[in-house]
Amino acid sequence: MKLVILRKENWVADYVITMFSIISESISKKKLDESNMTFVDKDESEIYYFEEDLNAFKFKIMIDFFQKSQSYEWILSEEESKLFLKCSHAAYYFETEKYKGKEESPRKKFLENHEKKFKY
């Protein structure tokens, strides 16, 4: 398996933040009703569940690597790479499904970076 390498670059930080934001929205029990800008309960079928502890993984990337580490790059382990790609693909799927047949996603840059760097 190909290992994921994260670097301390602006586009990587933006990508990771957006990825976890999309996932948080998708696993939340509430969704934004854009017609009246209120949050409403989701149907059980609209909620996606991860078996892994995403908060620990998110903090490992955002705090341990981006903020605390002196290293410019981090080569994820095989398990971390699998989880990162799972998160990346899930976020891409959630975002494309949300805007399918609608206006363009405001997270267009995330979608473009996914297609260029992580869609394999």
Side-chain angles (χ1 to χ4, degrees):
M1 181 196 168
K2 210 171 176 181
L3 299 179
V4 173
I5 300 172
L6 298 180
R7 292 188 176 87
K8 288 186 178 175
E9 297 175 358
N10 287 339
W11 80 266
V12 176
D14 290 343
Y15 186 88
V16 170
I17 291 166
T18 304
M19 176 180 76
F20 283 118
S21 295
I22 293 169
I23 290 171
S24 291
E25 292 169 7
S26 301
I27 61 176
S28 168
K29 296 195 181 292
K30 300 269 185 193
K31 68 178 176 181
L32 178 64
D33 180 347
E34 295 175 5
S35 64
N36 59 8
M37 300 307 283
T38 59
F39 285 93
V40 296
D41 289 330
K42 285 184 178 179
D43 293 334
E44 229 12 69
S45 63
E46 296 177 303
I47 301 169
Y48 187 85
Y49 299 96
F50 277 87
E51 295 172 9
E52 300 86 358
D53 182 0
L54 293 187
N55 281 330
F57 188 55
K58 177 172 66 175
F59 289 125
K60 188 172 186 177
I61 294 172
M62 300 305 297
I63 305 297
D64 294 346
F65 173 61
F66 279 111
Q67 291 183 4
K68 293 182 179 178
S69 175
Q70 298 297 317
S71 178
Y72 172 73
E73 71 178 23
W74 174 30
I75 301 172
L76 277 64
S77 70
E78 189 170 332
E79 287 302 310
E80 292 165 337
S81 292
K82 284 180 186 176
L83 182 54
F84 184 89
L85 292 174
K86 181 179 178 179
C87 290
S88 178
H89 296 320
Y92 180 85
Y93 172 79
F94 297 145
E95 192 67 8
T96 54
E97 284 298 303
K98 182 177 178 180
Y99 288 96
K100 187 182 274 184
K102 298 180 183 177
E103 72 279 1
E104 187 174 70
S105 166
R107 294 170 171 152
K108 183 179 178 185
K109 196 71 175 161
F110 170 83
L111 298 175
E112 290 171 352
N113 280 327
H114 177 80
E115 290 171 2
K116 286 184 216 169
K117 310 279 185 183
F118 299 109
K119 195 173 184 178
Y120 51 82

